[in-house]
Amino acid sequence: MNDLAGKHIVLGLSGGIACYKAAELCRALIKEGATVQVVMTEAAEQFITPVTMQALSNRPVYGSQWDAREPNNMPHINLSREADAILIAPCSADFMAKLLHGRADELLSLMCLARPIAQVPLLIAPAMNREMWAHPATQRNLAQLQADGATLLGVGSGFQACGETGDGRMLEPQELLEDVIAFFQPKVLTGQQVLVTAGPTYEAIDPVRGITNLSSGKMGFAIARAAREAGAQVTLVAGPVSLPTPRGVTRIDVKSAQNMLEAVMQHAPIATIFVATAAVADWRPASAADQKIKKDGSGQAPQLGFTENPDILASVAQSPRGQSRALFCVGFAAESHDLLAHAQAKRARKGVPLLVGNIGPATFGQDDNALLLVDEHGTQDMPRAPKLALARQLIAEISRRTRAVA
Ligand code: CTP
């Protein structure tokens, strides 16, 4: 996907060993369609050369406010006027202090001060030793920078170049990329608490075997990510899948349908939107054996009895909050045929205002999908597209409907 197509990012590097990650970040931004203008402080040039950054960004790098390449000799004005955002990565403790005080004694801080504050957001990816990060001066500066309108992209935790372990590492390039993409998404779910179920469930037969299905969880994870990008607080209840957790999403791993029901019921009372994408097993073995079931030599297969699993979506949708739409419930229908008829029938049966149909065998495990939205007013097709693109469209539709309810 080209999530940053048409965006022009000024990538500012201040001095820190995390400059090596800025090279990868620059590439990642460009791969997503952005154009990137690199500006480096003198200290940054101690860690990585402008040659590297020029080669990666395909643009001359700026490092001095006296750069005569600009006809008006004002790179701090020209560079900041073109930008859709200025991203400082890495942002050193010293550079944060400079930003805080509005210092303007070199190009990067001068450009940040000179930017049109209402049009050009400033994103900060701090990088420093854990003691520097935890120091009251840094934390104070951070709070004030946020109060002044800067967006903090957070820090990572772990082994640091100095040999110590703790908070303060710069986030990884892929994490920063995800945050920058999220930053540009419309914040249509600010203030909402979104609960999502995703993936298959696993119903144990005995300690080594069980019943599951082909759901990959990709659609549900994409919806959780899109909801987070839209500004919601998101809890993702995931069946057994090995997908990475989207940035900023709280994940609860579960196995069986009953585990999933418990996790959902615990979080439903504070949720305002519930999206059930999980492919919940309809039945579970009536009793799971404590020990592995062995062949007994008779040639006869064991007789397994089954019990129907609780319907998680229906339980939530038919609760008082679901009925009053204080909790807006969205169901999915994975069908193999007659999508429209099954989706309409399922919407009525589950008691949800919005049901999203898809053809299961055509989408399980794939990175793209096609959706059919069914509500009380009719149907709407969402043609085949990457799951994240569909998830964003669906979030926009949910936002429209929840606003209408409110
Ligand atoms: N669902 C659920 N709990 C269940 C079964 C389904 O929460 N025990 C939810 C799914 O997450 C989905 C919707 O209900 O949002 C429809 O799921 P689907 O498997 O398509 O339908 P079923 O209800 O299982 O009906 P059928 O098997 O007859 O198609």
Side-chain angles (χ1 to χ4, degrees), residues 276-278 280-282 310-313 331-335 346 349-350:
T277 68
V280 183
D282 290 319
D311 190 318
I312 301 169
L313 175 61
F332 264 67
E335 307 296 341
K346 211 166 266 184
R349 200 168 74 236
K350 305 268 178 178

Side-chain angles (χ1 to χ4, degrees), residues 44-200:
E45 291 184 19
Q46 296 291 320
F47 292 92
I48 188 167
T49 69
V51 176
T52 301
M53 297 310 293
Q54 177 170 352
L56 290 171
S57 64
N58 200 24
R59 281 170 173 251
V61 169
Y62 282 78
S64 162
Q65 71 269 44
W66 312 120
D67 196 319
R69 281 176 295 183
E70 294 293 303
N72 60 359
N73 214 316
M74 294 186 196
H76 61 294
I77 301 292
N78 304 345
L79 298 178
S80 63
R81 297 306 182 269
E82 292 169 0
D84 289 300
I86 299 175
L87 166 61
I88 311 291
C91 187
S92 66
D94 180 57
F95 198 74
M96 276 173 50
K98 288 181 84 166
L99 285 174
L100 177 83
H101 286 286
R103 296 281 302 275
D105 58 351
E106 43 72 45
L107 178 60
L108 189 56
S109 56
L110 171 61
M111 184 189 68
C112 290
L113 189 67
R115 81 187 201 280
I117 201 163
Q119 284 101 51
V120 183
L122 179 63
L123 279 60
I124 292 177
M128 65 199 73
N129 162 271
R130 66 191 176 107
E131 298 291 357
M132 294 167 74
W133 174 250
H135 196 284
T138 304
Q139 292 301 315
R140 197 169 54 231
N141 291 350
L142 201 64
Q144 187 57 50
L145 281 172
Q146 287 175 288
D148 289 349
T151 298
L152 172 74
L153 300 182
V155 292
S157 187
F159 183 72
Q160 302 197 312
C162 52
E164 299 179 3
T165 301
D167 291 343
R169 282 162 53 117
M170 189 167 88
L171 293 172
E172 297 306 313
Q174 280 306 316
E175 294 174 316
L176 288 174
L177 177 70
E178 221 178 284
D179 286 353
V180 172
I181 290 171
F183 178 81
F184 286 113
Q185 292 299 319
K187 298 290 172 263
V188 293
L189 291 189
T190 301
Q192 302 279 9
Q193 298 276 346
V194 177
L195 180 61
V196 181
T197 63

Side-chain angles (χ1 to χ4, degrees), residues 248-327:
V249 166
T250 304
R251 173 175 179 169
I252 301 168
D253 284 319
V254 295
K255 268 188 160 178
S256 68
Q258 280 180 305
N259 300 153
M260 188 173 272
L261 176 71
E262 283 159 26
V264 165
M265 285 309 181
Q266 202 182 332
H267 287 83
I270 57 153
T272 55
I273 295 169
F274 176 47
V275 188
T277 68
V280 183
D282 290 319
W283 304 280
R284 64 178 182 275
S287 61
D290 291 338
Q291 295 183 333
K292 184 181 174 192
I293 302 170
K294 307 292 282 182
K295 289 195 283 291
D296 63 7
S298 68
Q300 296 294 312
Q303 296 297 307
L304 295 176
F306 288 94
T307 304
E308 191 169 312
N309 268 328
D311 190 318
I312 301 169
L313 175 61
S315 312
V316 174
Q318 286 157 28
S319 70
R321 292 191 74 232
Q323 287 292 293
S324 70
R325 302 213 176 160
L327 175 56

